[in-house]
Amino acid sequence: MSSVLYDTPGPRARRRSLIGSVVTGIAIAALLVFIVFRVAETGRIDAELWQVYTDPPKGSSAADVWTSLLINGLGATLRAAAVGGVLALAVGLVLVVLRMAKPRWVRYPATGIIEVFRGLPVILLMFFGVLGLGMPIFQGVVFGLVVYNAAVIGEILRAGIVSLPSGQAEAGSAIGLTQPQILFSILLPQAIRRMLPSLISQFVVLLKDTSLGFIIGYTELLRILRINTEFFGESYLFVLFFVGAAIYIAVNFLLSRVAIWLERRGSMKAAGGAVHADAEHAEAHAEGEQKP
């Protein structure tokens, strides 16, 4: 059985793929072992250093360390990501509506805004929000996240709409729907479901971009890690940032799993709706045949 894009691989192709996967896995494992040995040579992974999480020095307690990481650092990161993500999605929806509008005087400016903001670095937008617009630091971080990611989300949604069959819009027009009704009732829901993996990937990027707030003084997870390193000493840098990286990976993994769950749920709903519609059609057809 073959796909539209490629044929199903045969035995030789599967064997080559297996060999390539094994070689790549061995290379990655060797690289990780090399990194661990090099770090071990510096003495940065001694067992005593890891006690910073259970019995930290300088009169601190384990609760102080974990509170600074999870409540202060991660809490600030998630707060900026949540506010920025919601606003970016809302602004992205507005941009895609303007981008898909019929009048040129609406479509062209929206296209220009998307292209300009998508090409600017996030940190530059954060600096502009704080220094140019006089925003507080938190608002400046959110401003940078929203402006950049809204432009990207707008393009993702537009690509999803363009990828839909043209018959979707034509069917909406045939039953008397207006262009806004077709866009919001037919096209956008399908585009969001189709582009959900890309949207979640962009939200992961947004979450990681909150670390850029460190540069303008926002006390998020990365800045908390740096503050703890300066307090306990540079010898604790690896163990602190290792756990910080693990926190980022765990949050992004959880976000990815939520995306997979939402995608499966949406697919099941769509499939259930199609089956229900087919059943109703068959029942109506049977009733019509029974009538004299």
Side-chain angles (χ1 to χ4, degrees):
M1 184 177 180
S2 62
S3 170
V4 176
L5 299 179
Y6 57 87
D7 293 330
T8 302
R12 295 179 62 184
R14 289 198 296 268
R15 185 165 56 250
R16 287 195 297 265
S17 177
L18 178 61
I19 294 173
S21 299
V22 171
V23 172
T24 302
I26 293 174
I28 293 175
L31 178 61
L32 291 176
V33 171
F34 172 76
I35 293 174
V36 170
F37 273 105
R38 288 301 300 268
V39 174
E41 290 177 358
T42 64
R44 293 182 178 271
I45 57 175
D46 291 343
E48 294 182 358
L49 297 177
W50 291 96
Q51 291 181 3
V52 70
Y53 296 110
T54 57
D55 186 21
K58 298 187 177 182
S60 298
S61 64
D64 294 334
V65 175
W66 287 109
T67 298
S68 66
L69 290 176
L70 300 179
I71 304 300
N72 300 334
L74 181 59
T77 293
L78 295 179
R79 185 165 62 251
V83 176
V86 171
L87 293 178
L89 180 60
V91 177
L93 287 171
V94 173
L95 288 176
V96 74
V97 170
L98 298 177
R99 178 78 168 79
M100 303 293 292
K102 294 294 184 182
R104 294 181 179 179
W105 61 272
V106 175
R107 186 172 70 252
Y108 286 172
T111 303
I113 290 173
I114 290 175
E115 294 300 326
V116 169
F117 288 154
R118 194 172 55 162
L120 292 175
V122 178
I123 186 60
L124 181 62
L125 295 170
M126 290 181 181
F127 271 119
F128 178 74
V130 173
L131 302 179
L133 302 179
M135 294 179 174
I137 291 177
F138 175 76
Q139 295 180 13
V141 171
V142 172
F143 174 81
L145 295 175
V146 170
V147 171
Y148 173 78
N149 287 280
V152 177
I153 289 173
E155 275 300 289
I156 291 174
L157 294 176
R158 187 189 71 84
I161 292 174
V162 171
S163 69
L164 295 174
S166 60
Q168 300 279 350
E170 294 172 357
S173 299
I175 61 175
L177 296 180
T178 62
Q179 280 301 121
Q181 289 175 327
I182 293 173
L183 182 61
F184 287 102
S185 301
I186 300 176
L187 301 182
L188 265 180
Q190 295 184 74
I192 291 175
R193 185 163 54 247
R194 175 170 292 193
M195 304 304 291
L196 187 59
S198 299
L199 289 173
I200 296 300
S201 297
Q202 191 58 38
F203 285 132
V204 170
V205 172
L206 185 149
L207 177 66
K208 292 187 293 186
D209 282 346
T210 57
S211 61
L212 295 173
F214 168 82
I215 301 175
I216 64 173
Y218 182 58
T219 310
E220 41 71 60
L221 181 57
L222 185 61
R223 186 171 182 83
I224 289 294
L225 292 170
R226 188 60 198 172
I227 291 173
N228 286 346
T229 302
E230 292 174 352
F231 178 74
F232 291 115
E234 290 295 326
S235 60
Y236 290 90
L237 185 145
F238 178 80
V239 297
L240 288 170
F241 276 82
F242 182 86
V243 172
I247 293 174
Y248 274 116
I249 292 172
V251 173
N252 289 330
F253 176 77
L254 180 61
L255 188 59
S256 300
R257 299 307 301 179
V258 170
I260 293 173
W261 177 76
L262 289 174
E263 186 177 8
R264 289 177 178 174
R265 188 163 179 257
S267 300
M268 291 175 62
K269 279 188 174 182
V275 171
H276 183 66
D278 290 342
E280 289 184 346
H281 178 72
E283 184 179 351
H285 181 69
E287 290 178 355
E289 290 182 347
Q290 292 176 0
K291 291 181 180 180

